Amino acid sequence: MKNFVFKIGSAIRDYVRETDKMLLVMAIMLSILSCTLQYSLATAGAIQWRPFYMQIASSCVGIVAAIIISLIDYHTLAKLWKLYVPIILILIGLTLFTPLGSMRNGDGMGSDDRILLNIGFMDIQPFEFLKLGFILTFSLHASSVRDHINQPKTLLFLILHGLVPIGLGFLSGDYGTMLVFILIFLCILFTSGLSWKLILPGLGAAVIAGFVFFNFVMDDYLQKRFLLSDEYLYENRLGDTLQQYWGKITLGSGQLTGKGLLSDKLITTTPELYNDFIFAHVGQVFGFVGCIALVIWIMVMCIKLIINARSADDPLGSYISVGVFTVLFFQSVINIGMVLCVLPVIGIPLPFVSAGGTSALTTYMILGLALSVRMNTTKKDHLF
């Protein structure tokens, strides 16, 4: 028995020594913040207690999942795509094309998207798992063709690869998730050594595609949300901009240092305050100082991911780290931009902080990929 305990203790010490302690601890601290904010909202009567308990459970399961994934070599994880990608695609197919799939009213203002899959005792979001699968498969694809990535045939197959998750996101009506897939695709592609002779025409094509999408594909209510002037917010405060109007009031009500977690003056009328608009609650509870501290915290994590990407032993490790960085950085920027009324509401959660069982679990699983790269990086003396 003593020998077994000794081996367990030795394994734990080895893991703590080898893993990226900084990233893992910073993510756990964000989850603690998230659960604290959910407790504050539940105490104030803004939400039921279930989201609070669900956030604790999903975060704990997510931490375990991240540790398990980090113990598996990222090369093995990438090469096993034939096992998990079909499962993810089947779940998405059930979500999009069967009665098991259901609409999520993303913000209470009519922005329905078909992203939930009912599995009996709970709803899950398969597209969150697709982010994990896409980072691995596209990183593997890009690393395998890196030496001739600028050849037309190679680039065509990479684009087709990227269009699969992007197209599925479009079919679901969840433009926020579709945008995240586009950003993962672009960031990994640019990192893989794409020539500027191809990047510049690609940017021009993207501008044209964006114009067409905005004017002829995007729903009317989303087009209106790009007109985010104070006058427009006020005039439509009972309609399309209700959430952002109240979110802006909630965010600013904390002023410099906030009202406190258990204040009896908390504003609880903002739709999805516990989820997509959790940053507004951070503002009213901890004030401007708390918001800035949270932004700096997330940016430090993003910088650490970039350092890990540059220090990885091979292109595959670098691309995976870049993919994880893309999810954390851009989802944070988009979510905070929604609350600050500089971007339209498109249902993007704030990583580790917004409530959501599937989101919390998969974000930790995605972080586990970065931890795996760190665990299998030999030149660790260049990391902190």
Side-chain angles (χ1 to χ4, degrees):
M1 183 65 181
K2 289 183 178 179
N3 189 38
F4 175 76
V5 173
F6 175 79
K7 288 182 178 179
I8 294 295
S10 178
I12 293 175
R13 286 195 299 271
D14 289 343
Y15 180 81
V16 171
R17 184 174 61 252
E18 296 295 325
T19 194
D20 193 326
K21 296 179 284 294
M22 180 178 176
L23 271 181
L24 185 57
V25 170
M26 292 187 78
I28 292 173
M29 292 302 294
L30 287 181
S31 290
I32 293 173
L33 171 64
S34 174
C35 294
T36 304
L37 293 170
Q38 303 306 320
Y39 178 83
S40 169
L41 288 168
T43 302
I47 58 173
Q48 300 295 321
W49 284 97
R50 187 175 185 276
F52 168 67
Y53 297 126
M54 179 63 73
Q55 194 68 6
I56 293 177
S58 57
S59 296
C60 290
V61 173
I63 292 168
V64 173
I67 292 174
I68 292 173
I69 290 173
S70 71
L71 291 171
I72 305 172
D73 191 302
Y74 61 91
H75 299 91
T76 302
L77 289 169
K79 292 176 181 178
L80 289 176
W81 66 269
K82 293 181 181 179
L83 294 180
Y84 50 81
V85 169
I87 296 174
I88 296 172
L89 293 178
I90 289 172
L91 293 176
I92 289 176
L94 292 173
T95 304
L96 294 178
F97 306 115
T98 75
L100 295 175
S102 61
M103 299 287 187
R104 178 199 67 172
N105 193 312
D107 57 9
M109 293 291 101
S111 55
D112 293 328
D113 40 45
R114 193 176 182 86
I115 64 170
L116 297 178
L117 177 64
N118 187 287
I119 58 173
F121 60 94
M122 65 179 295
D123 291 330
I124 63 172
Q125 298 182 32
F127 280 93
E128 294 297 316
F129 293 101
L130 186 58
K131 293 176 186 176
L132 177 78
F134 184 49
I135 289 173
L136 283 169
T137 58
F138 196 68
S139 295
L140 180 63
H141 188 170
S143 64
S144 67
V145 298
R146 185 172 184 267
D147 293 336
H148 46 93
I149 193 170
N150 292 304
Q151 295 180 6
K153 183 179 179 181
T154 300
L155 190 57
L156 174 62
F157 280 109
L158 285 169
I159 292 173
L160 291 175
H161 187 160
L163 285 177
V164 173
I166 294 170
L168 290 172
F170 175 76
L171 287 176
S172 73
D174 185 1
Y175 297 145
T177 297
M178 183 183 73
L179 177 60
V180 173
F181 286 132
I182 292 173
L183 292 169
I184 294 172
F185 168 76
L186 292 177
C187 287
I188 294 178
L189 191 63
F190 289 167
T191 306
S192 61
L194 194 65
S195 170
W196 280 103
K197 295 179 180 180
L198 296 173
I199 292 176
L200 294 179
L203 291 175
V207 171
I208 296 173
F211 175 82
V212 173
F213 183 80
F214 180 84
N215 288 280
F216 302 105
V217 179
M218 185 178 288
D219 294 330
D220 182 63
Y221 75 90
L222 278 176
Q223 292 180 359
K224 291 179 180 178
R225 289 187 180 187
F226 278 94
L227 305 173
L228 292 172
S229 65
D230 289 338
E231 181 181 358
Y232 181 77
L233 285 172
Y234 181 78
E235 290 177 351
N236 295 273
R237 65 191 183 280
L238 299 179
D240 287 338
T241 64
L242 183 149
Q243 186 178 24
Q244 286 181 294
Y245 176 79
W246 278 105
K248 192 172 184 179
I249 293 175
T250 304
L251 177 69
S253 67
Q255 299 184 21
L256 183 62
T257 57
K259 304 172 184 176
L261 284 165
L262 302 179
S263 171
D264 58 0
K265 298 180 181 180
L266 295 178
I267 299 174
T268 59
T269 53
T270 303
E272 301 294 320
L273 187 59
Y274 73 107
N275 191 354
D276 293 345
F277 268 60
I278 193 69
F279 190 74
H281 188 49
V282 173
Q284 73 168 336
V285 168
F286 298 115
F288 177 78
V289 173
C291 290
I292 293 298
L294 178 56
V295 169
I296 293 174
W297 192 271
I298 294 173
M299 290 304 101
V300 170
M301 292 182 68
C302 291
I303 292 171
K304 185 62 169 66
L305 285 167
I306 293 298
I307 293 173
N308 288 1
R310 291 177 59 87
S311 303
D313 286 347
D314 57 14
L316 178 59
S318 295
Y319 301 161
I320 289 174
S321 296
V322 167
V324 178
F325 160 81
T326 303
V327 172
L328 180 60
F329 178 77
F330 284 104
Q331 285 198 183
S332 298
V333 169
I334 294 170
N335 179 273
I336 294 173
M338 294 190 310
V339 178
L340 295 177
C341 299
V342 296
L343 292 173
V345 177
I346 52 176
I348 294 293
L350 186 60
F352 300 109
V353 184
S354 292
T358 306
S359 176
L361 172 60
T362 53
T363 304
Y364 267 110
M365 293 175 71
I366 290 171
L367 181 70
L369 300 180
L371 296 178
S372 175
V373 174
R374 172 65 170 83
M375 289 282 287
N376 292 279
T377 296
T378 55
K379 298 179 181 180
K380 294 177 182 178
D381 55 314
H382 294 295
L383 303 175
F384 58 87

